[in-house]
Amino acid sequence: MSYFSAVPQAPADGILKLSVLSRADSHPSKVDLGVGAYRDDNGKPWVLPVVREAERRLNEDPNFNHEYLGVGGLPALTNCAQKLIFGNNSPAIAQGRVYTMQTISGTGANMVAAVFLKQFKQPNDAAVYISKPTWGNHRSIFETAGHQVLEYKYCNYETLTLDIDGMLDDMRNAPMGQIFVLHACAHNPTGIDPTEEQWRQIAQVMKDRGHFPFFDCAYQGFATGDVDSDAYAIRLFVDLGFELLVAESFAKNMGLYGERTGCLHAVCQSPELLPQVSSQLNRLSRATISTASAYGAKIAATVLQDPELYGEWLVSMEDMSKRIQAMRWMLKNKLVKLGTPGNWDHVTTQIGMFSFTGLSKNQVDALRNQYHMYMTDDGRISVAGLNTHNIDYVAESIDAVVRTVN
């Protein structure tokens, strides 16, 4: 008998399975709205000009090398990333209450945080609450780390808006001291974000119940086009005295998808706690990846450290955000003009890369099988996959399916 005979088949990852199906489809009208990556108006990946310039500088630097980084990562990156998340004038940074380590993008930050919390959470039987719905990997990460994973209400599936009352009720009804995973901005998969007032309500309930916030921030600057606006919730919680963890990714906002560049931030109550917390995070990182990857970190640090490149990067993020917003309005307006049954306001009230369309699984299947259009089974589309060349086809296909398929 094989040593591995008792290993069961793991369930297929929905996003990865969708990518395989899309790549195998050679139909000329194919539209891939599943991939969570930015595309330009020709449907092509876009390497940001500042990234190209940073690479040029690195390649021409006679001191450039491929040596290992330290366990905590590249200080030039972690110091800049810290200020990007918490603000240049953050009291928490000035008081020495923040530790930042480099990770394998946002997913790696989530995993290190999940294992850290499993070992040191208080109370030790606290569950991890994720939004319903959430990024498909959240449950897998926290369950793999050994947590009990529960859900809190987030999306009102009738109106495709935030169910703030249900969310707050679930937070109030959860036992004291639970861990809540919060999307800092551009919620994945819904594109539904709380308003600033709603964030204040969320923070108050979490403070009253002693819950611990873990922020996942994969789209800073990419959501609204403004890095400070997109960091509002995190900075609010820090200002209110929360201890917290933040996972940060540079995949989307800098286009460093395959370079796997990210950070994990820990905010402590006092600077005296930082040595213990940082030592344990470093220990976990050492045990899993030894050291983080250097190339993407050096690219990101070059951009973040140079005032001229940083300014150009902000403009590029604003451009990406504006193109996505324009595609939202074009899709909504075309559906309205076609008289497509239903209310499509949510397409433009949602924010960021993704839109929760409200299409049923049967309708999603019909779009895939009849129109070669690829999106996740829950009807989430990547708005970045829309462009002026395919928007008419997408709108007309959705209109046809909504009229004929339940």
Side-chain angles (χ1 to χ4, degrees):
M1 178 181 289
S2 168
Y3 187 86
F4 302 111
S5 61
V7 178
Q9 180 73 37
D13 182 285
I15 297 293
L16 298 181
K17 180 181 177 181
L18 191 67
S19 296
V20 170
L21 292 173
S22 176
R23 284 197 296 270
D25 188 343
S26 59
H27 194 278
S29 297
K30 180 184 74 175
V31 181
D32 189 342
L33 301 178
V35 62
Y38 183 78
R39 297 290 182 260
D40 64 18
D41 195 51
N42 291 312
K44 303 296 183 183
W46 186 45
V47 179
L48 274 63
V50 291
V51 169
R52 289 199 185 279
E53 173 60 20
E55 289 187 289
R56 185 193 66 77
R57 293 184 188 183
L58 290 172
N59 292 331
E60 293 180 1
D61 183 353
N63 296 315
F64 177 77
N65 58 60
H66 296 283
E67 293 295 299
Y68 289 123
L69 300 178
V71 174
L74 184 69
L77 171 67
T78 56
N79 291 338
C80 290
Q82 207 174 81
K83 294 175 182 177
L84 187 67
I85 287 286
F86 301 107
N88 287 322
N89 301 312
S90 166
I93 294 176
Q95 294 159 7
R97 297 192 292 113
V98 183
Y99 176 66
T100 299
M101 66 180 295
Q102 189 185 330
T103 59
I104 304 299
S105 201
T107 303
N110 271 265
M111 193 71 227
V112 172
V115 177
F116 175 82
L117 289 170
K118 177 60 180 175
Q119 294 183 6
F120 303 109
K121 62 185 176 181
Q122 300 180 39
N124 60 13
D125 63 349
V128 172
Y129 285 73
I130 57 176
S131 63
K132 183 180 181 180
T134 191
W135 176 47
N137 222 7
H138 274 149
R139 178 177 290 278
S140 179
I141 287 169
F142 284 95
E143 286 184 343
T144 299
H147 295 275
Q148 179 189 17
V149 177
L150 303 173
E151 293 180 323
Y152 61 88
K153 296 182 188 71
Y154 192 85
C155 178
N156 181 323
Y157 287 87
E158 295 296 321
T159 61
L160 297 177
T161 57
L162 181 65
D163 182 4
I164 185 64
D165 292 332
M167 181 180 183
L168 295 176
D169 284 344
D170 283 353
M171 288 180 165
R172 292 188 187 100
N173 294 330
M176 295 285 288
Q178 304 300 289
I179 299 164
F180 277 79
V181 178
L182 304 167
H183 298 234
C185 61
H187 183 274
N188 180 4
T190 69
I192 302 167
D193 282 2
T195 63
E196 291 187 2
E197 173 57 31
Q198 288 169 336
W199 273 122
R200 288 191 286 271
Q201 294 176 49
I202 293 165
Q204 186 60 57
V205 171
M206 288 191 64
K207 199 168 191 65
D208 291 344
R209 298 295 296 163
H211 296 322
F212 182 87
F214 172 68
F215 280 98
D216 195 354
C217 186
Y219 301 94
Q220 187 184 4
F222 194 94
T224 65
D226 184 281
V227 293
D228 296 315
S229 294
D230 290 347
Y232 172 81
I234 296 170
R235 296 177 188 179
L236 170 69
F237 275 64
V238 173
D239 289 345
L240 292 173
F242 281 89
E243 292 184 298
L244 50 81
L245 294 173
V246 181
E248 177 183 21
S249 169
F250 289 99
K252 269 70 173 183
N253 60 14
M254 211 170 277
L256 297 175
Y257 301 99
E259 301 302 337
R260 314 310 294 140
T261 305
C263 290
L264 176 64
H265 309 271
V267 178
C268 301
Q269 194 175 61
S270 68
E272 289 75 26
L273 294 167
L274 219 59
Q276 296 120 270
V277 171
S278 61
S279 69
Q280 292 293 347
L281 290 173
N282 287 344
R283 178 185 65 85
L284 292 173
S285 180
R286 173 68 172 158
T288 51
I289 63 168
S290 187
T291 62
S293 54
Y295 190 63
K298 290 177 180 179
I299 293 172
T302 300
V303 173
L304 294 173
Q305 283 183 305
D306 184 280
E308 183 178 349
L309 292 183
Y310 181 79
E312 291 179 23
W313 176 55
L314 296 181
V315 172
S316 290
M317 280 193 291
E318 187 176 8
D319 289 343
M320 289 189 287
S321 178
K322 284 182 176 178
R323 195 190 84 76
I324 288 176
Q325 290 174 24
M327 288 300 103
R328 287 183 178 278
W329 280 101
M330 286 184 71
L331 178 60
K332 176 192 169 181
N333 289 340
K334 288 182 182 297
L335 291 172
V336 171
K337 187 175 181 179
L338 289 166
T340 308
N343 186 318
W344 299 96
D345 289 345
H346 57 276
V347 175
T348 51
T349 57
Q350 294 168 4
I351 195 171
M353 180 175 285
F354 302 113
S355 178
F356 217 45
T357 61
L359 295 170
S360 70
K361 186 178 185 305
N362 288 339
Q363 291 167 338
V364 170
D365 288 342
L367 285 167
R368 185 182 308 150
N369 297 329
Q370 299 175 36
Y371 297 94
H372 306 272
M373 192 179 304
Y374 292 83
M375 64 186 70
T376 57
D377 287 345
D378 58 8
R380 185 208 80 173
I381 64 170
S382 174
V383 185
L386 298 173
N387 55 61
T388 56
H389 309 290
N390 65 24
I391 190 74
D392 287 331
Y393 178 74
V394 169
E396 290 163 6
S397 301
I398 291 174
D399 177 74
V401 165
V402 169
R403 292 180 188 277
T404 57
V405 180
N406 291 327

